[in-house]
């Protein structure tokens, strides 16, 4: 198989099961910084060295390059929401997150399967990433099962899988796809996804909200807020107002809540972006969703 196809290569690399980590440090101005990474690996026992890699386009690159230290948290099986939170680009990842300064100054979390605090020893060029090698200064273990990532999704009995497992019908399949799509938000950073988002005048966060409403069958703002909170995503009125101004959604006034109505443009965007940037299995779920839409539309016009 040709290595010139980045999507196929990414899929092949995803067959290797890994743990999931959050790597943290402090920025030059004293702000906590953290990213989700599954590139963590042991290098040497004597001296004790580990490595991980960070995209050259990452917002946090300067902080990790200049701080001289970092902490690696191997996440537990029930920390998929925290993984999703730190996988997103942007600021405010530490809002509502319990942390303190560790031995070297990097932010450390109270829950983890294993935590390593490291001094940065080397930074190497690695194609579209930089490879960071750290010397382990201290580490700690907790007797908790780790979060595992395989074939583009979390493995094991995580909260997402418990939510996704329902009756074997089209709606259950569609809901399972939605939960996976929201959990695997790193796909929004792929070049094709970025172009598609730009074509439809959407940010990654706006797309996630639209996908939850459409494919998750969410009807109201309060239900959307609850769903996003459970999955580790945070949104505010600014995102909703942006979608209204772009005419992607309408809000209908109700006595106790506001109903969300998607525009036809928004529905087309959701299906187009999702179908072009997800796995073959997920695309099959999308075709089921589209078939359901056509069936409903035909019944309405019958």
């Amino acid at each position: 198989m040709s290595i010139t196809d980045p999507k196929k290569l990414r899929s092949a690399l995803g067959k290797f099961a890994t743990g999931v980590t959050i790597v943290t440090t402090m920025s030059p101005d004293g702000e906590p910084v953290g990213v989700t990474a599954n590139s963590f690996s042991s290098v040497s026992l004597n001296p004790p060295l580990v490595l991980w890699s960070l995209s050259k386009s990452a917002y946090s690159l300067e902080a990790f390059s200049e701080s001289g230290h970092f902490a690696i948290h191997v996440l537990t099986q029930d920390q998929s929401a925290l993984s999703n939170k730190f996988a997103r680009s942007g600021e405010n990842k530490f809002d509502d997150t319990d942390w303190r300064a560790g031995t070297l100054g990097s932010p450390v979390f109270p829950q983890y399967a294993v935590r390593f605090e490291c001094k940065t020893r080397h930074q190497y060029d690695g194609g579209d990433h930089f490879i960071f090698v750290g010397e382990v200064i201290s580490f700690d273990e907790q007797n908790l099962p780790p979060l595992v990532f395989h074939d583009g999704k979390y493995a094991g009995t995580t909260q997402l899988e418990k939510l996704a497992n329902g009756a074997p019908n089209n709606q259950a399949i569609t809901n399972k796809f939605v939960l996976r799509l929201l959990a695997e938000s790193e796909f929004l950073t792929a070049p094709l996804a970025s172009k598609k988002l730009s074509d439809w005048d959407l940010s990654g966060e706006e797309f996630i909200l639209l996908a939850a409403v459409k494919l998750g069958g969410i009807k109201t703002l309060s239900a959307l807020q609850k769903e996003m909170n459970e999955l580790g995503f945070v949104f505010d009125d600014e995102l909703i107002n942006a979608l209204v101004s772009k005419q992607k959604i309408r809000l209908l006034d109700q006595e106790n809540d506001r109903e969300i109505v998607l525009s036809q443009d928004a529905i087309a965007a959701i299906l187009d972006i999702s179908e072009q940037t997800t796995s073959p299995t997920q695309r099959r779920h999308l075709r089921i969703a589209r078939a359901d839409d056509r069936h409903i539309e035909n019944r309405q016009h019958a």
Side-chain angles (χ1 to χ4, degrees), residues 21-51:
T21 72
I22 291 178
V23 189
T24 60
T25 193
M26 281 290 186
S27 70
D29 58 1
E31 292 298 320
V33 173
V35 295
T36 297
N38 68 340
S39 55
F40 169 71
S41 178
S42 170
V43 175
S44 168
L45 292 178
N46 185 23
L49 301 177
V50 296
L51 67 76

Side-chain angles (χ1 to χ4, degrees), residues 244-272:
V244 171
S245 67
K246 292 178 181 181
Q247 298 184 345
K248 303 296 184 184
I249 65 172
R250 289 186 297 120
L251 297 177
L252 303 183
D253 289 330
Q254 302 291 323
E255 184 176 350
N256 297 314
D257 201 354
R258 305 192 73 184
E259 183 179 353
I260 304 170
V261 179
L262 296 176
S263 69
Q264 290 302 311
D265 183 68
I267 294 172
I270 295 163
L271 295 173
D272 182 41

